[in-house]
Amino acid sequence: MRPGPRNLITDVPGLRVGNADDPTLRSGVTVLTADHPFTAAVHVMGGSPGTRETDLLAPDRMVQEVDAIFLSGGSAFGLDAGQGVMQGLREAGRGFAVGPVRVPIVPGAIVFDLLNGGAKDWTTSPYPALGRRAFDTAAPDFALGTAGAGYGAMTGNLKGGLGSASCVLPSGLTVGALVVVNALGQATVGETPHFWAAPWEEGTEFGGLGPAPMVAQDAPMPRKRLGEATTIAIVATDAALTRAQAQRMAVAAHDGMARALVPAHTPLDGDLVFSVATGGKPLSDPLTDTFQLGHAAATCLARAIARAVWLARPEPLDLQPCWQSRFGAPR
């Protein structure tokens, strides 16, 4: 496997990502969309998820494709971001056709960032406007680190953020990951600068430090309360997958979360993974291709998590240090 040209989820042809954030609010929204509807599924492994429209992603549901997926800060308030995304899609004439009416299909998920030091004294939710702005700015290139839905994210020891990575399989299929890292656990090993995801790093995409030396690991204790922690992600491919096959890719991708965050999938996290298949390339070998897609999705997600933390930047009034201020600016 090798990274795609951008090392972003948008290396999957046809996908676009937009970010919108508010420094005063210390929160934001990230939207993934495409010119045409795409197959999507979801798998939840955390104990405290916050979601919108995920029930319709089951393989047996009537609507088999979606128009966009959003990731948002704001806890349950952030679910309002879907309203802004729907407005943009509606104006573009997009959505599931019901007679003369089109209904945009926009699943989403949120992270808790209400206690990160930002101004949360608003009376009218800012998230519909942030969702609309993120949709309107969706493009092949987008910012990582302290950006979009990852703007106010934190982890067990360092600032979190927005991450992405991609790879191209020997079969020619492309896989990408997009993630908001707001985990209870750590992306780094103990007090070292080394990332848990180091064995899967491509080049120096998150510093090139390699695996950590052997260090004693105490049993972890929660540093956040119930509902305050979540890692939410999207993995995508240009393969033509059924919704059931896409769901299996989402299940496999959770391995990447466990490789890159310790601990992961706790009762206090709302960890989930959406999967997306644009259908651009048929499977040449359904058994081998789906096997490799699951492995690639997990690997890309692990790398994207490390990149999110590595690229987070310092901001005034931060409650946590970021990786670069503690260990040195990214090379």
Side-chain angles (χ1 to χ4, degrees):
M1 295 186 295
R2 67 183 189 279
R6 297 184 182 89
N7 202 14
L8 298 172
I9 196 170
T10 48
D11 285 327
V12 175
L15 294 184
R16 305 189 307 276
V17 171
N19 287 326
D21 43 62
D22 183 333
T24 302
L25 185 66
R26 297 178 76 90
S27 188
V29 175
T30 297
V31 174
L32 179 141
T33 190
D35 291 335
H36 305 284
F38 47 85
T39 299
V42 68
H43 186 65
V44 181
M45 288 190 69
S48 302
T51 60
R52 177 186 190 272
E53 297 274 44
T54 51
D55 281 354
L56 63 78
L57 297 179
D60 62 338
R61 300 299 190 256
M62 179 181 70
V63 178
Q64 289 290 301
E65 295 180 313
V66 308
D67 299 293
I69 297 174
F70 72 89
L71 309 176
S72 179
S75 188
F77 300 106
L79 296 175
D80 291 341
Q83 177 184 335
V85 180
M86 285 188 71
Q87 182 181 17
L89 287 161
R90 180 177 172 84
E91 291 180 12
R94 297 280 303 278
F96 181 75
V98 184
V101 178
R102 288 192 173 271
V103 181
I105 307 299
V106 185
I110 51 86
V111 299
F112 184 98
D113 59 6
L114 298 180
L115 300 178
N116 64 3
K120 306 299 195 297
D121 55 351
W122 43 265
T123 56
T124 300
S125 174
Y127 289 98
L130 287 168
R132 176 60 189 269
R133 183 151 54 94
F135 173 78
D136 287 343
T137 59
D141 292 299
F142 58 96
L144 300 179
T146 306
Y151 193 95
M154 300 191 292
T155 73
N157 64 333
L158 298 169
K159 283 185 70 172
L162 183 72
S164 191
S166 71
C167 68
V168 181
L169 295 169
S171 64
L173 296 174
T174 299
V175 175
L178 178 70
V179 64
V180 180
V181 183
N182 190 59
L184 181 144
Q186 293 186 195
T188 52
V189 182
E191 299 303 314
T192 78
H194 297 267
F195 287 94
W196 287 107
W200 294 275
E201 184 176 14
E202 293 288 344
T204 58
E205 62 184 346
F206 44 88
L209 300 178
M214 294 296 292
V215 294
Q217 291 293 314
D218 295 327
M221 294 295 292
R223 302 187 190 186
K224 298 183 181 182
R225 291 171 293 187
L226 184 66
E228 291 183 7
T230 297
T231 299
I232 52 178
I234 306 170
V235 295
T237 180
D238 53 357
L241 301 181
T242 65
R243 180 168 280 180
Q245 289 171 325
Q247 187 172 31
R248 292 308 307 173
M249 186 170 76
V251 171
H254 273 281
D255 288 353
M257 203 176 291
R259 294 171 187 171
L261 293 167
V262 176
H265 305 138
T266 76
L268 283 73
D269 287 285
D271 298 343
L272 65 80
V273 178
F274 292 103
S275 58
V276 165
T278 62
K281 295 182 178 179
L283 300 178
S284 57
D285 182 335
L287 178 60
T288 299
D289 287 343
T290 54
F291 176 89
Q292 292 185 338
L293 286 171
H295 171 68
T299 300
C300 282
L301 181 51
R303 293 163 49 212
I305 288 169
R307 295 188 80 202
V309 174
W310 188 64
L311 290 169
R313 66 177 185 269
E315 296 278 311
L317 306 179
D318 278 346
L319 300 183
Q320 287 183 314
C322 64
W323 189 96
Q324 60 178 283
S325 61
R326 184 169 178 183
F327 300 114
R331 295 194 295 272

